[in-house]
Every structure is written in C-alpha cells, then in structure tokens.
Amino acid sequence: MEYQVAADALNGKVILVTGAGDGIGRQAAISYAQHGATVILLGRTVKKLESVYDEIEAAGYPQPAIIPLDMMGATRQHYLDMTDTIEQQFGKLDGVLHNAGMLGVLSPFDQIEEKAFDEVMQVNVKATFLMTQALMPLIQKSEDGRIVFTSSTVGHSGRAFWGTYAISKFATEGMMQVLADELSNTTVKVNAINPGGTRTKMRASAFPAEDANNLKTPLDIMPLYLYLMAPEGKDVNGQCIDAQPK
Ligand code: NAP
C-alpha cells in the first residue's frame, strides 16, 4: 500500500517524538515538522536534540521544543511533570511517536544478564508504559489523538540470540493492542510500526558486517510514519504495520 498524506496534513498538530536526536526519530521529527506539526523533541543527548531543533528552525518549519530526558532513570513523576509542561506550553498534545529504544546485548538466552535485561525492559517497555499513562488524559482531549509505538520483526516472531530486545518488542506490541482495544470507541488511534532494517546506528550495531548502503534510510520509511499521524490514517487502530513490507 502507498501511504500518502497532504503536504499540510499535520498543520496545527502538536506531536511528541521520543529518541528524536538520532536515527529514525530524528527523521520522523523533521518530517512531521515539514508537514506542519509543532514537534516536541525528547531524548537523552541534548546536543543531538539541539541539532535537530536547528535543522527544523533553519527550514522554516514550526518552532519545535526540546525535552531532555533519560528514560533509563525517569520516574512516573517525571512523566506527569512533563505532561503538565506540555499542556501549559502548547495547550494540547495530538500525537506521540514512541521511537526511543535500545538494542542491549545480543546473546544466547542462558547468558542474558539480569542487569542488562532490566535496562532494556526499563527503556523499551516500562518507561514507554509510564509515559503513555501520563500522557493519556492530554491525548484524549485531542480531536484526533494518535499513539504510535515502535516494534520490530522480532516483536512478533522470536529469533535466536535476540533475547531481551525481542522480548521487549513483544511486550510493546502487547501494550499497543491492549490500549488500542480499550480506546477503540474513542477518537484516539493506537498502532505500532515495524520499521524493518533501516540505516541507523542501532542497525549497524546489530549487523556490523553488512553493507549499510543496501538498507533503506529513515527518510525512505517516512510515508507510514506520516500516515499514522495524519488525518489520512484515522481509520487504522490496533495494527502493527511493516514500513518495508516484503
Ligand atoms: P538509534 O539510531 O539508536 O536511535 C535510538 C534513539 O533512542 C536515539 O536517539 C537514542 O538517544 C534514544 N534513546 C535510547 N535510549 C534512550 C534513553 N534511555 N532515554 C532517551 N532516549 C533514548 O536507533 P533507530 O534504529 O533509529 O531505532 C529507532 C526505533 O526503531 C527503536 O525503537 C528500534 O528498536 C526500532 N527499530 C529499528 C530498526 C532498524 O533497523 N534501525 C529495526 C526495527 C526496529 P541517543 O541518541 O542519545 O543515544
């Protein structure tokens, strides 16, 4: 399917992107801004967020905002405070792209260390859960709210050695389905994207020997990211969609 949205599809919308400093999140923030959204750039490395901010501003897109936050250490209270700040500054939130994530260590199951397990689950699952819970009342006030999670091919089909990462993405898809079902009679749509192999630092660390030139870039997979946030995608709910279908 071709995912197409109008050039001004996101005009007037306020969209939060996590992990907005690098890789797919960086491109999604820029693409949402290009289509008219005011984007809130959340991430842990301020320099990277500032560089995305500068790029959006230089292009003349709506002025973005930065939220520096390390999802490894953030508590429920951080997410509640963040939600208050967004409401005070922007008056609303129309969408969140849960994109931040970590790969952790790829290893045989019996060698997964408890600390490494906890770290990946903390960032990929628990922090995403806490943030979603805190943001929900605000997103439910939007006329056309969107929550988009990020899964993986190993989020619905387990694979040897993908350990905690795969487990965390199964949990992500479960969270998406539960929430989508609960909100199915509301204006909020909840979905997930499986980006497929995409040219980023995370992909390079999982597949150090491959030629990255053969991979799609974050820009290549943006049509689906835009579609699920735009009015064009308003009838999709509870789906995990491949950005690079085979
Ligand atoms: P990436 O280039 O490594 O970017 C990940 C982003 O998440 C970075 O901006 C990173 O911040 C941020 N992040 C990591 N830990 C964080 C924390 N504790 N607090 C706040 N932010 C944190 O990876 P990517 O490839 O773009 O991946 C984006 C999403 O797509 C992930 O959920 C990943 O699992 C998923 N995915 C990617 C692929 C692929 O082939 N690339 C395939 C399937 C799924 P820093 O820049 O500060 O490190």
Side-chain angles (χ1 to χ4, degrees):
M1 171 167 174
E2 285 277 311
Y3 297 107
Q4 281 183 343
V5 304
D8 62 354
L10 302 178
N11 263 7
K13 301 218 179 277
V14 179
I15 296 173
L16 174 68
V17 178
T18 73
D22 215 332
I24 296 168
R26 176 189 171 98
Q27 183 57 56
I30 293 168
S31 293
Y32 290 156
Q34 184 186 19
H35 286 75
T38 297
V39 285
I40 305 171
L41 313 166
L42 185 149
R44 63 177 169 182
T45 310
V46 176
K47 256 194 174 160
K48 290 187 185 180
L49 299 173
E50 284 173 350
S51 131
V52 182
Y53 183 104
D54 290 346
E55 192 170 328
I56 289 172
E57 210 175 35
Y61 305 149
Q63 189 182 20
I66 287 178
I67 298 182
L69 192 97
D70 185 345
M71 291 165 62
M72 187 76 84
T75 63
R76 185 166 176 269
Q77 194 58 46
H78 285 105
Y79 297 116
L80 292 170
D81 293 346
M82 177 185 101
T83 304
D84 283 347
T85 307
I86 294 171
E87 186 159 26
Q88 278 162 26
Q89 281 196 17
F90 301 99
K92 65 168 186 168
L93 185 67
D94 300 295
V96 53
L97 174 66
H98 286 301
N99 161 84
M102 58 185 287
L103 180 67
V105 184
L106 302 188
S107 75
F109 193 90
D110 62 356
Q111 287 168 33
I112 299 171
E113 289 179 6
E114 184 177 349
K115 182 166 179 287
F117 180 90
D118 284 347
E119 286 175 356
V120 171
M121 293 303 277
Q122 175 66 31
V123 173
N124 293 7
V125 182
K126 189 169 176 191
T128 303
F129 159 72
L130 290 173
M131 194 188 305
T132 305
Q133 223 182 26
L135 292 171
M136 270 176 68
L138 192 53
I139 294 194
Q140 285 181 282
K141 285 190 204 163
S142 168
E143 283 169 11
D144 190 15
R146 304 296 166 86
I147 301 174
V148 180
F149 292 91
T150 306
S151 189
S152 163
T153 305
V154 296
H156 39 263
S157 177
R159 193 189 299 159
F161 312 123
W162 281 73
T164 317
Y165 180 79
I167 296 167
S168 77
K169 294 299 188 183
F170 266 79
T172 301
E173 288 199 23
M175 180 155 45
M176 176 278 287
Q177 289 182 10
V178 168
L179 194 56
D181 198 27
E182 275 182 36
L183 298 181
S184 60
N185 292 324
T186 76
T187 54
V188 182
K189 304 297 167 210
V190 186
N191 294 285
I193 292 174
N194 169 18
T198 308
R199 200 185 305 164
T200 68
K201 290 197 184 78
M202 184 188 287
R203 174 75 189 188
S205 66
F207 296 90
E210 85 181 341
D211 181 357
N213 291 316
N214 296 329
L215 294 170
K216 298 278 189 208
T217 65
L219 184 60
D220 293 331
I221 60 171
M222 282 304 116
L224 177 61
Y225 281 77
L226 287 160
Y227 186 80
L228 290 181
M229 283 293 174
E232 286 85 343
K234 70 176 172 23
D235 295 327
V236 187
N237 191 47
Q239 307 294 311
C240 178
I241 304 179
D242 287 347
Q244 301 182 48
K246 293 262 154 50

